[in-house]
mmCIF file of all heavy atoms in Angstrom:
data_model
loop_
_atom_site.group_PDB
_atom_site.id
_atom_site.type_symbol
_atom_site.label_atom_id
_atom_site.label_comp_id
_atom_site.label_asym_id
_atom_site.label_seq_id
_atom_site.Cartn_x
_atom_site.Cartn_y
_atom_site.Cartn_z
ATOM 1 N N PRO A 25 44.461 -12.671 3.832
ATOM 2 C CA PRO A 25 45.431 -11.606 3.403
ATOM 3 C C PRO A 25 44.771 -10.706 2.383
ATOM 4 O O PRO A 25 43.868 -11.164 1.584
ATOM 5 C CB PRO A 25 46.518 -12.392 2.829
ATOM 6 C CG PRO A 25 45.929 -13.717 2.332
ATOM 7 C CD PRO A 25 44.826 -13.980 3.296
ATOM 8 N N GLY A 26 45.276 -9.449 2.340
ATOM 9 C CA GLY A 26 44.783 -8.563 1.185
ATOM 10 C C GLY A 26 43.443 -7.825 1.632
ATOM 11 O O GLY A 26 42.350 -8.357 1.303
ATOM 12 N N ALA A 27 43.552 -6.673 2.313
ATOM 13 C CA ALA A 27 42.344 -5.888 2.759
ATOM 14 C C ALA A 27 41.441 -5.701 1.598
ATOM 15 O O ALA A 27 40.199 -5.879 1.837
ATOM 16 C CB ALA A 27 42.734 -4.657 3.372
ATOM 17 N N PRO A 28 41.852 -5.271 0.355
ATOM 18 C CA PRO A 28 40.956 -4.936 -0.700
ATOM 19 C C PRO A 28 40.146 -6.173 -1.057
ATOM 20 O O PRO A 28 38.918 -6.078 -1.288
ATOM 21 C CB PRO A 28 41.829 -4.488 -1.775
ATOM 22 C CG PRO A 28 42.985 -3.949 -1.165
ATOM 23 C CD PRO A 28 43.228 -4.910 0.120
ATOM 24 N N ASP A 29 40.713 -7.355 -1.037
ATOM 25 C CA ASP A 29 40.098 -8.674 -1.461
ATOM 26 C C ASP A 29 39.114 -8.973 -0.319
ATOM 27 O O ASP A 29 38.003 -9.471 -0.762
ATOM 28 C CB ASP A 29 41.089 -9.701 -1.593
ATOM 29 C CG ASP A 29 42.041 -9.506 -2.854
ATOM 30 O OD1 ASP A 29 41.600 -8.721 -3.778
ATOM 31 O OD2 ASP A 29 42.983 -10.115 -2.956
ATOM 32 N N THR A 30 39.513 -8.788 0.888
ATOM 33 C CA THR A 30 38.516 -9.093 1.956
ATOM 34 C C THR A 30 37.343 -8.157 1.920
ATOM 35 O O THR A 30 36.203 -8.690 2.078
ATOM 36 C CB THR A 30 39.324 -8.865 3.311
ATOM 37 O OG1 THR A 30 40.395 -9.843 3.278
ATOM 38 C CG2 THR A 30 38.393 -9.325 4.435
ATOM 39 N N ARG A 31 37.429 -6.996 1.707
ATOM 40 C CA ARG A 31 36.402 -6.037 1.654
ATOM 41 C C ARG A 31 35.446 -6.405 0.398
ATOM 42 O O ARG A 31 34.120 -6.368 0.554
ATOM 43 C CB ARG A 31 36.912 -4.515 1.536
ATOM 44 C CG ARG A 31 35.908 -3.517 1.696
ATOM 45 C CD ARG A 31 36.441 -2.148 1.536
ATOM 46 N NE ARG A 31 35.580 -1.067 1.929
ATOM 47 C CZ ARG A 31 34.507 -0.571 1.196
ATOM 48 N NH1 ARG A 31 34.306 -1.250 0.054
ATOM 49 N NH2 ARG A 31 33.648 0.308 1.624
ATOM 50 N N ALA A 32 36.027 -6.696 -0.660
ATOM 51 C CA ALA A 32 35.365 -7.008 -1.742
ATOM 52 C C ALA A 32 34.435 -8.488 -1.564
ATOM 53 O O ALA A 32 33.362 -8.539 -1.971
ATOM 54 C CB ALA A 32 36.250 -7.193 -3.058
ATOM 55 N N ALA A 33 35.114 -9.294 -0.821
ATOM 56 C CA ALA A 33 34.527 -10.519 -0.549
ATOM 57 C C ALA A 33 33.194 -10.346 0.335
ATOM 58 O O ALA A 33 32.187 -10.857 0.195
ATOM 59 C CB ALA A 33 35.399 -11.464 0.115
ATOM 60 N N ILE A 34 33.456 -9.465 1.384
ATOM 61 C CA ILE A 34 32.256 -9.124 2.177
ATOM 62 C C ILE A 34 31.233 -8.484 1.540
ATOM 63 O O ILE A 34 29.977 -8.884 1.678
ATOM 64 C CB ILE A 34 32.849 -8.259 3.384
ATOM 65 C CG1 ILE A 34 33.791 -8.954 4.265
ATOM 66 C CG2 ILE A 34 31.615 -7.688 4.281
ATOM 67 C CD1 ILE A 34 34.547 -7.999 5.225
ATOM 68 N N LEU A 35 31.519 -7.497 0.653
ATOM 69 C CA LEU A 35 30.527 -6.640 0.013
ATOM 70 C C LEU A 35 29.797 -7.684 -1.110
ATOM 71 O O LEU A 35 28.507 -7.605 -1.229
ATOM 72 C CB LEU A 35 31.140 -5.521 -0.855
ATOM 73 C CG LEU A 35 30.280 -4.569 -1.411
ATOM 74 C CD1 LEU A 35 29.436 -3.882 -0.319
ATOM 75 C CD2 LEU A 35 31.026 -3.451 -2.151
ATOM 76 N N GLY A 36 30.468 -8.632 -1.699
ATOM 77 C CA GLY A 36 29.818 -9.493 -2.563
ATOM 78 C C GLY A 36 28.888 -10.390 -1.906
ATOM 79 O O GLY A 36 27.717 -10.628 -2.304
ATOM 80 N N ALA A 37 29.280 -10.930 -0.747
ATOM 81 C CA ALA A 37 28.389 -11.816 0.114
ATOM 82 C C ALA A 37 27.203 -11.059 0.580
ATOM 83 O O ALA A 37 26.039 -11.552 0.553
ATOM 84 C CB ALA A 37 29.253 -12.399 1.283
ATOM 85 N N ALA A 38 27.404 -9.886 1.013
ATOM 86 C CA ALA A 38 26.362 -8.978 1.435
ATOM 87 C C ALA A 38 25.282 -8.735 0.351
ATOM 88 O O ALA A 38 24.090 -8.826 0.514
ATOM 89 C CB ALA A 38 26.743 -7.643 1.970
ATOM 90 N N ARG A 39 25.812 -8.522 -0.802
ATOM 91 C CA ARG A 39 24.823 -8.072 -1.927
ATOM 92 C C ARG A 39 23.934 -9.365 -2.277
ATOM 93 O O ARG A 39 22.765 -9.261 -2.543
ATOM 94 C CB ARG A 39 25.574 -7.575 -3.173
ATOM 95 C CG ARG A 39 24.717 -7.134 -4.141
ATOM 96 C CD ARG A 39 25.429 -6.534 -5.375
ATOM 97 N NE ARG A 39 24.748 -6.004 -6.404
ATOM 98 C CZ ARG A 39 24.024 -4.934 -6.353
ATOM 99 N NH1 ARG A 39 24.102 -4.029 -5.544
ATOM 100 N NH2 ARG A 39 23.193 -4.537 -7.474
ATOM 101 N N GLU A 40 24.688 -10.424 -2.401
ATOM 102 C CA GLU A 40 23.973 -11.759 -2.685
ATOM 103 C C GLU A 40 22.904 -12.149 -1.594
ATOM 104 O O GLU A 40 21.783 -12.514 -1.911
ATOM 105 C CB GLU A 40 24.937 -12.957 -2.693
ATOM 106 C CG GLU A 40 25.802 -12.898 -4.012
ATOM 107 C CD GLU A 40 26.748 -14.107 -4.125
ATOM 108 O OE1 GLU A 40 26.598 -14.996 -3.327
ATOM 109 O OE2 GLU A 40 27.586 -14.099 -5.000
ATOM 110 N N LEU A 41 23.304 -11.841 -0.315
ATOM 111 C CA LEU A 41 22.380 -12.278 0.772
ATOM 112 C C LEU A 41 21.174 -11.215 0.856
ATOM 113 O O LEU A 41 20.014 -11.684 1.083
ATOM 114 C CB LEU A 41 22.961 -12.301 2.149
ATOM 115 C CG LEU A 41 23.884 -13.565 2.362
ATOM 116 C CD1 LEU A 41 24.676 -13.351 3.676
ATOM 117 C CD2 LEU A 41 23.070 -14.771 2.421
ATOM 118 N N PHE A 42 21.411 -9.974 0.738
ATOM 119 C CA PHE A 42 20.439 -9.002 0.683
ATOM 120 C C PHE A 42 19.589 -9.150 -0.526
ATOM 121 O O PHE A 42 18.239 -9.013 -0.316
ATOM 122 C CB PHE A 42 20.987 -7.511 0.623
ATOM 123 C CG PHE A 42 21.607 -6.926 1.949
ATOM 124 C CD1 PHE A 42 22.740 -6.509 2.015
ATOM 125 C CD2 PHE A 42 20.699 -7.041 3.038
ATOM 126 C CE1 PHE A 42 23.362 -6.042 3.081
ATOM 127 C CE2 PHE A 42 21.230 -6.632 4.272
ATOM 128 C CZ PHE A 42 22.566 -5.991 4.336
ATOM 129 N N ALA A 43 20.070 -9.623 -1.683
ATOM 130 C CA ALA A 43 19.227 -9.804 -2.774
ATOM 131 C C ALA A 43 18.330 -11.131 -2.601
ATOM 132 O O ALA A 43 17.128 -11.085 -3.100
ATOM 133 C CB ALA A 43 20.025 -10.030 -3.968
ATOM 134 N N SER A 44 18.845 -12.138 -1.993
ATOM 135 C CA SER A 44 18.113 -13.427 -1.818
ATOM 136 C C SER A 44 17.167 -13.425 -0.538
ATOM 137 O O SER A 44 16.047 -13.952 -0.604
ATOM 138 C CB SER A 44 19.088 -14.533 -1.770
ATOM 139 O OG SER A 44 19.939 -14.481 -0.621
ATOM 140 N N SER A 45 17.640 -12.854 0.509
ATOM 141 C CA SER A 45 16.918 -12.836 1.734
ATOM 142 C C SER A 45 16.302 -11.625 2.263
ATOM 143 O O SER A 45 15.525 -11.543 3.132
ATOM 144 C CB SER A 45 17.886 -13.359 2.878
ATOM 145 O OG SER A 45 18.450 -14.616 2.546
ATOM 146 N N GLY A 46 16.592 -10.473 1.580
ATOM 147 C CA GLY A 46 16.043 -9.209 1.883
ATOM 148 C C GLY A 46 16.821 -8.593 3.089
ATOM 149 O O GLY A 46 17.617 -9.274 3.660
ATOM 150 N N TYR A 47 16.489 -7.350 3.343
ATOM 151 C CA TYR A 47 17.160 -6.671 4.376
ATOM 152 C C TYR A 47 16.907 -7.255 5.668
ATOM 153 O O TYR A 47 17.825 -7.562 6.486
ATOM 154 C CB TYR A 47 16.680 -5.123 4.425
ATOM 155 C CG TYR A 47 17.285 -4.385 5.590
ATOM 156 C CD1 TYR A 47 18.534 -3.723 5.409
ATOM 157 C CD2 TYR A 47 16.590 -4.305 6.757
ATOM 158 C CE1 TYR A 47 19.122 -2.977 6.413
ATOM 159 C CE2 TYR A 47 17.125 -3.608 7.767
ATOM 160 C CZ TYR A 47 18.452 -3.025 7.597
ATOM 161 O OH TYR A 47 18.946 -2.205 8.697
ATOM 162 N N GLY A 48 15.596 -7.595 5.969
ATOM 163 C CA GLY A 48 15.225 -8.163 7.309
ATOM 164 C C GLY A 48 15.797 -9.563 7.515
ATOM 165 O O GLY A 48 16.023 -9.898 8.641
ATOM 166 N N GLY A 49 15.949 -10.292 6.433
ATOM 167 C CA GLY A 49 16.368 -11.605 6.578
ATOM 168 C C GLY A 49 17.933 -11.834 6.562
ATOM 169 O O GLY A 49 18.385 -13.047 6.545
ATOM 170 N N THR A 50 18.544 -10.663 6.493
ATOM 171 C CA THR A 50 20.094 -10.690 6.390
ATOM 172 C C THR A 50 20.640 -10.138 7.593
ATOM 173 O O THR A 50 20.370 -9.126 8.128
ATOM 174 C CB THR A 50 20.527 -10.135 5.218
ATOM 175 O OG1 THR A 50 20.055 -10.532 3.955
ATOM 176 C CG2 THR A 50 22.096 -10.058 5.112
ATOM 177 N N SER A 51 21.693 -10.826 8.228
ATOM 178 C CA SER A 51 22.351 -10.430 9.453
ATOM 179 C C SER A 51 23.834 -10.265 9.139
ATOM 180 O O SER A 51 24.420 -10.843 8.157
ATOM 181 C CB SER A 51 22.235 -11.453 10.517
ATOM 182 O OG SER A 51 22.857 -12.639 10.248
ATOM 183 N N ILE A 52 24.507 -9.501 9.991
ATOM 184 C CA ILE A 52 25.870 -9.326 9.764
ATOM 185 C C ILE A 52 26.611 -10.733 10.066
ATOM 186 O O ILE A 52 27.558 -10.946 9.202
ATOM 187 C CB ILE A 52 26.461 -8.369 10.923
ATOM 188 C CG1 ILE A 52 25.967 -6.982 10.618
ATOM 189 C CG2 ILE A 52 28.015 -8.440 11.117
ATOM 190 C CD1 ILE A 52 26.566 -6.267 9.505
ATOM 191 N N ARG A 53 26.202 -11.513 10.898
ATOM 192 C CA ARG A 53 26.870 -12.766 11.117
ATOM 193 C C ARG A 53 26.809 -13.708 9.901
ATOM 194 O O ARG A 53 27.564 -14.339 9.510
ATOM 195 C CB ARG A 53 26.162 -13.507 12.232
ATOM 196 C CG ARG A 53 26.604 -12.839 13.609
ATOM 197 C CD ARG A 53 26.027 -13.749 14.780
ATOM 198 N NE ARG A 53 26.441 -13.237 16.091
ATOM 199 C CZ ARG A 53 27.657 -13.492 16.726
ATOM 200 N NH1 ARG A 53 28.558 -14.193 16.112
ATOM 201 N NH2 ARG A 53 27.945 -12.875 17.889
ATOM 202 N N ALA A 54 25.597 -13.567 9.282
ATOM 203 C CA ALA A 54 25.318 -14.495 8.021
ATOM 204 C C ALA A 54 26.261 -13.888 6.942
ATOM 205 O O ALA A 54 26.830 -14.634 6.114
ATOM 206 C CB ALA A 54 23.955 -14.316 7.588
ATOM 207 N N VAL A 55 26.441 -12.621 6.757
ATOM 208 C CA VAL A 55 27.293 -12.117 5.700
ATOM 209 C C VAL A 55 28.728 -12.406 6.048
ATOM 210 O O VAL A 55 29.451 -12.866 5.136
ATOM 211 C CB VAL A 55 27.200 -10.447 5.723
ATOM 212 C CG1 VAL A 55 28.290 -9.888 4.840
ATOM 213 C CG2 VAL A 55 25.868 -10.120 5.178
ATOM 214 N N ALA A 56 29.148 -12.438 7.289
ATOM 215 C CA ALA A 56 30.530 -12.779 7.640
ATOM 216 C C ALA A 56 30.652 -14.192 7.367
ATOM 217 O O ALA A 56 31.711 -14.605 6.863
ATOM 218 C CB ALA A 56 30.651 -12.544 9.191
ATOM 219 N N ALA A 57 29.839 -15.084 7.738
ATOM 220 C CA ALA A 57 29.963 -16.557 7.340
ATOM 221 C C ALA A 57 30.043 -16.742 5.884
ATOM 222 O O ALA A 57 30.848 -17.601 5.500
ATOM 223 C CB ALA A 57 28.809 -17.331 7.937
ATOM 224 N N ALA A 58 29.299 -16.143 5.111
ATOM 225 C CA ALA A 58 29.290 -16.294 3.644
ATOM 226 C C ALA A 58 30.610 -15.760 3.084
ATOM 227 O O ALA A 58 31.179 -16.339 2.151
ATOM 228 C CB ALA A 58 28.287 -15.561 3.035
ATOM 229 N N ALA A 59 31.284 -14.781 3.720
ATOM 230 C CA ALA A 59 32.542 -14.220 3.276
ATOM 231 C C ALA A 59 33.653 -14.895 3.806
ATOM 232 O O ALA A 59 34.795 -14.730 3.463
ATOM 233 C CB ALA A 59 32.517 -12.698 3.492
ATOM 234 N N GLY A 60 33.506 -15.773 4.778
ATOM 235 C CA GLY A 60 34.650 -16.383 5.451
ATOM 236 C C GLY A 60 35.433 -15.622 6.361
ATOM 237 O O GLY A 60 36.636 -15.789 6.594
ATOM 238 N N VAL A 61 34.689 -14.602 7.089
ATOM 239 C CA VAL A 61 35.432 -13.698 8.004
ATOM 240 C C VAL A 61 34.727 -13.614 9.310
ATOM 241 O O VAL A 61 33.611 -14.262 9.468
ATOM 242 C CB VAL A 61 35.561 -12.365 7.354
ATOM 243 C CG1 VAL A 61 36.374 -12.342 6.016
ATOM 244 C CG2 VAL A 61 34.256 -11.670 7.126
ATOM 245 N N ASP A 62 35.244 -12.983 10.239
ATOM 246 C CA ASP A 62 34.649 -12.767 11.519
ATOM 247 C C ASP A 62 33.677 -11.570 11.336
ATOM 248 O O ASP A 62 33.975 -10.717 10.719
ATOM 249 C CB ASP A 62 35.700 -12.520 12.667
ATOM 250 C CG ASP A 62 35.071 -12.479 13.963
ATOM 251 O OD1 ASP A 62 34.992 -13.529 14.561
ATOM 252 O OD2 ASP A 62 34.713 -11.353 14.450
ATOM 253 N N ALA A 63 32.619 -11.700 12.166
ATOM 254 C CA ALA A 63 31.610 -10.562 12.071
ATOM 255 C C ALA A 63 32.286 -9.196 12.533
ATOM 256 O O ALA A 63 31.774 -8.187 12.016
ATOM 257 C CB ALA A 63 30.477 -10.887 13.101
#
Side-chain angles (χ1 to χ4, degrees):
D29 292 341
T30 302
R31 191 180 190 282
I34 294 171
L35 194 57
R39 189 172 179 84
E40 288 184 9
L41 284 174
F42 282 128
S44 61
S45 302
Y47 177 89
T50 300
S51 67
I52 291 289
R53 288 186 179 277
V55 171
V61 301
D62 188 86

